[in-house]
Amino acid sequence: MTITHQALKEWLSYDPETGVFRWLKDKRGRGRMWKAGDAAGYETQTAVCICLMGRYYYAHRLAWFYVHGEWPKQQIDHINGEWRDNLLSNLRDVPPRVNMENMRFARKTSRSGLIGAFKHSVSGWFSAIQVHGKMHRLGHFKTPQEAHEAYIAAKRVLHEGCTL
């Protein structure tokens, strides 16, 4: 069972200009005590989470619910790509595809550490971009930086969700 809008506002305050939730009541959990006024939530590897009434919620989804009075219909995208930044102006309700198109950083398993730059066993580096499920090859490059730059240029044109 999800929390109601009324219960959310009884337990937490949210400042849309800072993106911070604060407890309105003292709260105890897992051997810890939070006082009214303390910042709510903790960081995981990819989101800020808040436990309410025995259930964990992402702070960005709670922020949307808090302000709009309804749960987001799709996914909440952090426009600037920073998952810790839960300012209301940085959040948008978008389809999963648009959310993925706003990726700004390479995956942890990336050899280059740069988004869009992939190691090629023969020709050095290459770049490719996916648009509406179809892969578009952007070419082969001497350096990972060149492949990355080609990817970013294509991303700005082809990805609706890109905010770079």
Side-chain angles (χ1 to χ4, degrees):
M1 182 157 180
T2 59
I3 192 165
T4 65
H5 191 249
Q6 179 183 349
L8 173 62
K9 288 199 166 195
E10 287 175 13
W11 276 98
L12 293 169
S13 68
Y14 169 71
D15 183 348
E17 294 186 20
T18 64
V20 174
F21 279 95
R22 296 203 174 275
W23 294 109
L24 293 173
K25 304 176 182 180
D26 291 350
K27 182 181 183 303
R28 180 174 304 196
R30 292 195 174 190
R32 192 166 166 207
M33 181 74 176
W34 292 270
K35 297 280 185 196
D38 287 350
Y42 64 95
E43 292 182 3
T44 67
Q45 290 182 338
T46 57
V48 176
C49 290
I50 298 173
C51 184
L52 278 168
M53 301 174 149
R55 184 166 176 182
Y56 293 89
Y57 297 92
Y58 290 128
H60 54 274
R61 294 185 65 80
L62 280 178
W64 191 270
F65 183 46
Y66 191 96
V67 172
H68 297 288
E70 63 182 22
W71 288 102
K73 291 177 178 41
Q74 300 173 82
Q75 292 184 354
I76 294 296
D77 178 38
H78 291 80
I79 297 168
N80 68 3
E82 175 53 53
W83 56 265
R84 291 176 187 93
D85 185 355
N86 290 315
L87 275 71
L88 186 62
S89 61
N90 187 44
L91 305 177
R92 61 183 178 174
D93 187 6
V94 298
R97 176 186 55 82
V98 174
N99 194 11
M100 287 298 296
E101 288 175 355
N102 197 27
M103 272 184 51
R104 294 165 173 252
F105 306 104
R107 297 176 191 261
K108 289 180 182 180
T109 57
S110 168
R111 285 188 186 176
S112 68
L114 299 169
I115 192 168
F118 305 98
K119 183 75 174 132
H120 191 272
S121 59
V122 177
S123 63
W125 297 89
F126 76 96
S127 189
I129 190 167
Q130 186 168 325
V131 181
H132 298 292
K134 184 176 180 185
M135 192 61 70
H136 299 271
R137 296 172 191 253
L138 302 175
H140 293 266
F141 304 90
K142 291 180 182 177
T143 67
Q145 289 78 14
E146 290 174 351
H148 169 72
E149 289 169 10
Y151 177 83
I152 294 299
K155 183 177 190 60
R156 288 182 173 142
V157 173
L158 299 172
H159 280 173
E160 167 192 341
C162 178
T163 58
L164 289 173

